Amino acid sequence: MRQKFNIFDVTIYLVLIIIACATLYPFLNAVAISFNEANDTIRGGITIFPRQPTLANYRVIFSDQNLLNSYWISIARTIIGTTSGVLFTALVAYGMSKRSLIGRNIYMKIFLVTMFVSGGLIPYYMLIRQLGLMNNFLVFIIPPMFSVWNMIIMRTYFANSVPAALEESALIDGAGYYRIFFSIILHISKPIIATMVLFTGVFHWNSWFDAAIFITNPRLRPAQNVLIAVINANRFEEAMSAVGHAAFVLSQQRIVNVRSITMATMVATIIPIILVYPFVQKYFVKGIMIGSLKE
């Protein structure tokens, strides 16, 4: 039986197509500029295809000797930080999902205070220094290990979606709460776990502020900070080349400019996360919808 479309359905599809094109075009335009010859880009008119294809922009950003090491730092931070953060937050959320937990409401109020009230940047800096986390890889792992917002979502999911009879039968069989959590809860909570992995992984991969404040050792800087340094270096060179006619002529012979470098940097930064997203996308909507229900 053929499905009939009315004018409302057609309108909805057209609106969705327009929104998709408006969302996708800036990204495709950035990719095209990143692969286009820099002096040709200045002329404008680049759409979603490079007019004069080149890899010069990527050669410049990947010629930085610290960039490869910084990518390993970012990868290690994302994997270790995401694993430890999701696991620790899930443990707290599982405990908070138990109505029989003594002092549960008091703990929740303390968590909410920390979510809305901050001690400020200077006390936070002093705390990190007193803990010995300056120029330490653990500064990327320990401070963001727990998220109150993620805990609330996971707590709601555990309270509403995990059958109580399943835990009761496990307790009768002699399993403890840690055994139940690692052997049962994590296995039946894939939607919310995948959602939290995506949220936490994107946070760690894109984070640069903590490294800018707490890290002075170039060997410990993540890719975001090194790429920002590459952009700033090219911006400085371009500004200096604008001083005087001879320098201006020399600047026209540069194989890159700030715009082309910025676009190439943006693409090099977001591609790894885009490649990971399809593997967790099928759990994403389900995890958010179930985890957002009121307990």
Side-chain angles (χ1 to χ4, degrees):
M1 181 177 180
R2 297 181 61 184
Q3 185 178 4
K4 295 182 179 179
F5 292 93
N6 55 35
I7 187 65
F8 180 77
D9 293 329
V10 173
T11 303
I12 291 297
Y13 282 120
L14 287 176
V15 170
L16 291 176
I17 291 173
I18 293 173
I19 293 175
C21 292
T23 305
L24 192 58
Y25 176 77
F27 174 73
L28 295 178
N29 178 252
V31 173
I33 293 176
S34 71
F35 283 102
N36 197 71
E37 199 274 331
N39 291 327
D40 180 71
T41 300
I42 298 176
R43 295 166 47 202
I46 305 296
T47 54
I48 62 175
F49 299 103
R51 192 162 48 213
Q52 295 186 14
T54 180
L55 295 176
N57 302 318
Y58 290 95
R59 291 194 190 99
V60 170
I61 64 174
F62 285 105
S63 64
D64 192 299
Q65 297 180 354
N66 293 322
L67 186 58
L68 183 59
N69 177 74
S70 70
Y71 262 105
W72 285 114
I73 293 294
S74 290
I75 292 173
R77 171 183 182 166
T78 302
I79 294 175
I80 298 174
T82 300
T83 303
S84 59
V86 172
L87 181 60
F88 185 78
T89 303
L91 278 168
V92 178
Y94 177 62
M96 292 296 295
S97 67
K98 304 301 178 185
R99 296 183 181 275
S100 59
L101 178 66
I102 300 175
R104 179 173 179 262
N105 293 333
I106 297 177
Y107 298 148
M108 196 63 214
K109 291 177 181 178
I110 295 175
F111 287 143
L112 291 176
V113 169
T114 63
M115 186 170 68
F116 292 110
V117 180
S118 171
L121 182 58
I122 295 178
Y124 182 53
Y125 179 88
M126 295 175 64
L127 174 63
I128 295 297
R129 188 176 63 179
Q130 290 296 323
L131 292 175
L133 295 178
M134 298 291 294
N135 283 319
N136 192 325
F137 179 78
L138 292 178
V139 77
F140 301 140
I141 308 300
I142 296 178
M145 186 177 292
F146 177 71
S147 169
V148 176
W149 174 252
N150 292 348
M151 184 274 292
I152 293 174
I153 296 178
M154 298 181 79
R155 180 204 63 172
T156 307
Y157 183 95
F158 293 150
N160 295 336
S161 302
V162 177
L166 189 62
E167 295 185 67
E168 292 174 359
S169 62
L171 288 172
I172 293 175
D173 291 338
Y177 283 108
Y178 284 105
R179 177 69 181 274
I180 294 174
F181 176 79
F182 287 103
S183 300
I184 299 177
I185 302 300
L186 290 183
H187 288 280
I188 65 176
S189 303
K190 289 181 180 179
I192 196 65
I193 296 297
T195 302
M196 293 301 107
V197 166
L198 180 63
F199 282 174
T200 309
V202 170
F203 165 79
H204 277 286
W205 181 263
N206 290 333
S207 184
W208 62 273
F209 187 69
D210 48 3
I213 297 178
F214 305 126
I215 300 296
T216 57
N217 184 356
R219 304 294 297 176
L220 287 176
R221 289 176 180 169
Q224 311 296 338
N225 299 79
V226 175
L227 291 173
I228 289 173
V230 172
I231 293 176
N232 291 335
N234 280 272
R235 182 179 288 114
F236 175 77
E237 291 180 13
E238 191 170 90
M240 293 300 294
S241 67
V243 180
H245 177 71
F248 177 77
V249 173
L250 181 62
S251 70
Q252 300 305 302
Q253 300 174 358
R254 285 171 52 86
I255 60 174
V256 297
N257 55 35
V258 173
R259 180 172 174 78
S260 62
I261 284 292
T262 301
M263 294 304 175
T265 299
M266 184 188 73
V267 173
T269 302
I270 65 177
I271 286 298
I273 289 297
I274 292 179
L275 295 178
V276 171
Y277 181 77
F279 296 98
V280 297
Q281 190 270 340
K282 64 179 180 179
Y283 301 110
F284 182 74
V285 175
K286 182 179 179 182
I288 284 297
M289 291 302 295
I290 296 177
S292 63
L293 296 176
K294 184 177 180 180
E295 183 179 354

